[in-house]
Amino acid sequence: MASIINSISFKNFFNYYGDYDTTRYDFEEGVNIVVADNGAGKSKFFNAFLWLFYDTVLNSDDKRTYPVKDFAVKIISDKAKNETLMGDSVETGIKLEYSTGRYKFQIVKSFIATRIGEKLSDFDSWQITLNDVEVDKTDHVLPKYKPIYDAEEKHRVINQLILPTLRQYSFFQGEEVDKMIDFTKKSSIEDAVRTLTNISKYEDIAKIVQDISNKAYNDLNKQTKSTSDHNDRLESAIELKKSLEIQLEQENEKLNIQKELYETAEQEKNDLEQNFANAEKRKELDDKISQKSRVLRGVKEDYDNFLEGINSRFFDGGFSWISLGFERSVVDFKDKIKDFRQKRYEKRALLNATENPNDYFTILPSDSPDAVTLEQMIESEHCHVCNRSAEKGSDAHNYLLKLKNRPNETDSTRDFVKNDLEDFFGNLQINASPFLNKFEAIPQSVLRTREKELELKKRLDKLNSELKTLKARRKDILIAGTESEGADNASDIINQYKGSIRRIEQASGRIERLQNNISELKTKITNTDKEITSLRPKDIPEGYTVSYEITQDLVEATNKAQARVFDKMVSLLESHANEHFESLIKYNDIKGGVLSFEKTPSGGISLDYIDELGNDVSGASEGFQRMKKFAVVMAIISANTSQYNYPLLADAPLSAFGKAFNKGFFEAIPDVFPQSIILVKDLYDKDLDGKLTDLGQKLLESNTIRTLYLNEVDEELPQIERTTKIERRK
């Protein structure tokens, strides 16, 4: 009966905070889906089975596995650790229930962590105690669990869930599909065939028969020497055969070396296949990106300079934007400057009149002499007004001089107002004169400038968009791990790919030559053996000769049987792989081709997708390549004559598939696996109300899907408060 997982639950396991009853998944026979975004528990769910099978967990940071005890502090929920006081303990564990027909088993793996330090995530702050694995058993007639105490029996129950030899096909993460079968290596194909057939028995028989044949040959030679006289031709033939067999062994060693070189080059070619297929396109994109970047830098520089130059247009007399909106201010300024100057003139005149009244008013009688008479009075030193003497140096004479010179003694530097703004307003008029005639042209100038800015911005945005598109296209054709940061390695990829092709051709040529040499040596050995037989004495007991001949026939028969079983199973795998591949690509546009298994010179298998004329059908995407390999994995399982009795546990197997591949995948897997539990993020969309994509919603409504869970984590909360929320949608 098939092993069916009934439930799995967690206790303070990573973000699965709480007891077993609050973090429980119940599953059914058929397809079960757990949908979660990154960080919402997919990998942690997968880690539970790593702990169950291997007592290890995967560190998502460095993609390496660690023993549970060495990684225990990180396994404990941060929220649970934060709530654990100094000296107190917290338990972390997983609990799984599965059934096999009549019986049902419950497995619990856990450990206790006691806090002994302040630092929450410091390994030295916790004392870890691993609990013994608990395994209980019950049946469906009397559903009461009874503990199993025998360690070997516990181990058997755990292994019974998925046999260790089959876990590579039933328990994996998405990218591990690529590593399940290395078609370039004969050993990888043989391992798959060995899983499905009893070919290992043929290998054992072939080894035994070869040993018997060697013994029969040695016995025959001993008997020949003991029953015959000296025969130079016979001894020479026997020595020749030994020499030929040594040469054959050496040639076989050389052949194995060349096959290894072929496999290595073939592996490198396959690794670079997708990159090489896109290398020229990527090179073309790189050239376009480089050219587009240069144009973008030029336009960006023009745009930045243009924006910087806009400020100068406010004060540049050629544009005079600063005067926009000040049209009325010119009239107001003229009126005010007129009033200012009138009042300034009045204030200045008043000050002059006050300090120099004689410049503006006469202080002499109306019949006083004029200036000429005044001059005569000074010269004659006599005042004609009062008829008195005005001798030189006297007060009267000095007064006459004062009257004469009074208008020329005014102090022109004395301020007549507190703040004289005449020069300020004058400078304003001089400096503003370039702006006075621009009022009508400014709106049009601003409009043209704005239009030019929008034009440059539009061009800049277009170039940015085009550059982004080119980079996105370039990114789409890259495979992780083949592109060095910031470097263009398209040429390197092309050279490496061509180099691998060249090494394949060289190794293939050498393999062919060595195989011809080996064939010739085998022919020589056969002919020499016939010569030896003809030269052997006739009195040798017949049993020795017959025994050797029979064992030789058996060696040949077992080798042929082994090759026939291998070829037959490869053919069967090809047939089943095509059936599954057709189901997987049912909703894709890839039509009109079949998977073809062809033997390589190294004895490996070349897996190609060809049309009816034998031409390769395009489809080099990572998803397409992975789908081909997954079809073969399904074929390895379905080609077995007995029913496959183990569930499929897969973390992110759809990451490279695409929508159409995903749909075909969920419809195809029930044909092979009695139960599947798929952890996937591709069906999650946090921006949608239901959090599921269109395909996720369709799968939710499909009868093929038995259960569907949605995991969510509140990323806005600090890590020490985060928990995984489990919602069963179906």
Side-chain angles (χ1 to χ4, degrees), residues 530-728:
K530 289 179 180 179
E531 182 182 358
I532 291 172
T533 301
S534 66
L535 293 173
R536 290 186 190 279
K538 303 301 182 184
D539 56 347
I540 293 178
E542 186 179 1
Y544 287 98
T545 303
V546 172
S547 176
Y548 173 65
E549 291 175 352
I550 290 175
T551 55
Q552 282 289 87
D553 292 340
L554 286 175
V555 168
E556 184 179 358
T558 52
N559 287 334
K560 288 182 178 179
Q562 184 179 343
R564 186 172 61 253
V565 170
F566 180 84
D567 292 341
K568 183 179 179 180
M569 183 50 66
V570 169
S571 177
L572 184 62
L573 282 175
E574 181 181 74
S575 175
H576 280 259
N578 272 292
E579 291 178 9
H580 296 307
F581 193 69
E582 286 299 316
S583 299
L584 291 169
I585 66 171
K586 181 171 26 176
Y587 299 103
N588 286 75
D589 295 331
I590 305 172
K591 303 293 182 183
V594 294
L595 293 178
S596 173
F597 288 26
E598 293 291 336
K599 272 191 174 182
T600 65
S602 67
I605 297 293
S606 172
L607 177 61
D608 301 309
Y609 189 58
I610 61 174
D611 61 18
E612 57 185 7
L613 298 177
N615 300 314
D616 288 341
V617 178
S618 61
S621 70
E622 183 182 358
F624 179 82
Q625 300 299 333
R626 187 172 294 178
M627 191 63 77
K628 288 196 304 184
K629 291 193 175 183
F630 192 75
V632 178
V633 170
M634 295 174 72
I636 291 172
I637 295 171
S638 64
N640 200 326
T641 54
S642 61
Q643 181 182 357
Y644 192 73
N645 292 322
Y646 307 99
L648 169 66
L649 305 172
D651 176 20
L654 315 179
S655 57
F657 283 177
K659 184 176 179 180
F661 275 143
N662 289 346
K663 187 176 180 181
F665 172 84
F666 283 112
E667 290 188 7
I669 54 175
D671 296 336
V672 176
F673 299 94
Q675 183 190 41
S676 57
I677 299 173
I678 310 298
L679 312 172
V680 57
K681 74 169 184 176
D682 304 79
L683 305 178
Y684 179 79
D685 190 336
K686 66 179 180 180
D687 297 325
L688 297 178
D689 292 338
K691 308 296 184 182
L692 295 177
T693 63
D694 292 341
L695 178 58
Q697 196 62 40
K698 290 179 181 178
L699 291 172
L700 184 63
E701 299 167 359
S702 171
N703 294 329
T704 304
I705 309 303
R706 305 307 301 272
T707 69
L708 190 148
Y709 286 87
L710 179 67
N711 284 9
E712 288 190 287
V713 172
D714 190 346
E715 296 182 352
E716 295 183 0
L717 291 176
Q719 181 62 34
I720 59 174
E721 296 182 18
R722 289 185 187 177
T723 63
T724 296
K725 176 186 175 184
I726 303 172
E727 179 185 356
R728 181 167 182 172

Side-chain angles (χ1 to χ4, degrees), residues 89-118:
S89 299
V90 59
E91 183 178 4
T92 296
I94 58 171
K95 180 191 291 185
L96 180 133
E97 295 179 359
Y98 80 93
S99 57
T100 56
R102 175 183 174 183
Y103 295 103
K104 188 176 182 180
F105 302 93
Q106 177 178 278
I107 306 168
V108 177
K109 283 195 170 184
S110 63
F111 62 81
I112 301 294
T114 303
R115 187 167 184 177
I116 57 176
E118 292 293 338

Side-chain angles (χ1 to χ4, degrees), residues 333 336-337 340-341 343-344 347 415-429:
F333 181 81
K336 290 179 179 179
I337 196 64
F340 165 77
R341 285 174 173 162
K343 292 180 179 179
R344 180 179 182 280
K347 286 182 176 289
D415 293 335
F416 58 94
V417 290
K418 185 176 182 180
N419 295 305
D420 189 354
L421 300 177
E422 174 64 18
D423 291 341
F424 173 75
F425 288 122
N427 290 334
L428 277 182
Q429 286 182 292

Side-chain angles (χ1 to χ4, degrees), residues 43-68:
S43 298
K44 309 305 181 284
F45 188 106
F46 188 80
N47 264 333
F49 287 93
L50 284 176
W51 186 1
L52 177 70
F53 292 137
Y54 307 114
D55 288 322
T56 63
V57 290
L58 178 70
N59 183 359
S60 57
D61 294 332
D62 60 13
K63 301 299 181 183
R64 296 172 58 190
T65 56
Y66 295 88
V68 167

Side-chain angles (χ1 to χ4, degrees), residues 67-76 92 111 123 128 130:
V68 167
K69 187 170 184 179
D70 297 341
F71 206 70
V73 175
K74 288 191 175 183
I75 295 174
I76 308 168
T92 296
F111 62 81
F123 282 81
I128 306 299
L130 293 179

